[in-house]
Amino acid sequence: MSSNQIGGFFNRLEASRKYLFGSMGVLGENNNSIIAGAFVARGPDYKPVIDVAPDWESYDFEPINLENEADKAYFEAALAWDLEIDGKKWADGKNFK
């Protein structure tokens, strides 16, 4: 079900396709999962690119500082589909490109 939620969110982001690249995934197992990922947006302000999707506020967005080792590790793991949060491992994912 969560994977379908990601697919629907990506469909609603269609108007921003040329301004956005990202990877989102389901971490965990059935009935005990979270959705996480990372996006790269053209320009410093991500909100106008993301808010074309009416449900964008359902997710938490924050800028990633690649100078910070923890942020860099999160970003690399999200794009490589190796992300693990609170013991929940990457189960399924989708790329938005």
Side-chain angles (χ1 to χ4, degrees):
M1 186 63 145
S2 297
S3 187
N4 290 343
Q5 191 174 3
I6 294 170
F9 181 61
F10 283 2
N11 286 338
R12 290 181 286 281
L13 282 174
E14 187 62 36
S16 294
R17 185 163 299 276
K18 68 181 188 175
Y19 303 104
L20 195 62
F21 169 80
S23 182
M24 289 180 74
V26 179
L27 286 69
E29 52 197 38
N30 285 340
N31 300 320
N32 185 19
S33 63
I34 60 173
I35 295 174
F39 283 96
V40 177
R42 186 187 303 178
D45 190 13
Y46 65 87
K47 188 177 178 201
V49 177
I50 297 286
D51 75 358
V52 300
D55 58 340
W56 78 277
E57 292 175 330
S58 301
Y59 302 96
D60 295 323
F61 292 92
E62 59 186 68
I64 292 178
N65 178 4
L66 294 179
E67 301 296 321
N68 178 324
E69 286 300 317
D71 284 358
K72 184 176 180 179
Y74 177 91
F75 179 73
E76 290 175 350
L79 294 182
W81 291 18
D82 290 331
L83 190 61
E84 185 174 333
I85 299 175
D86 297 332
K88 295 178 180 173
K89 295 184 179 185
W90 195 279
D92 189 21
K94 294 179 187 276
N95 286 328
F96 183 81
K97 52 184 176 177

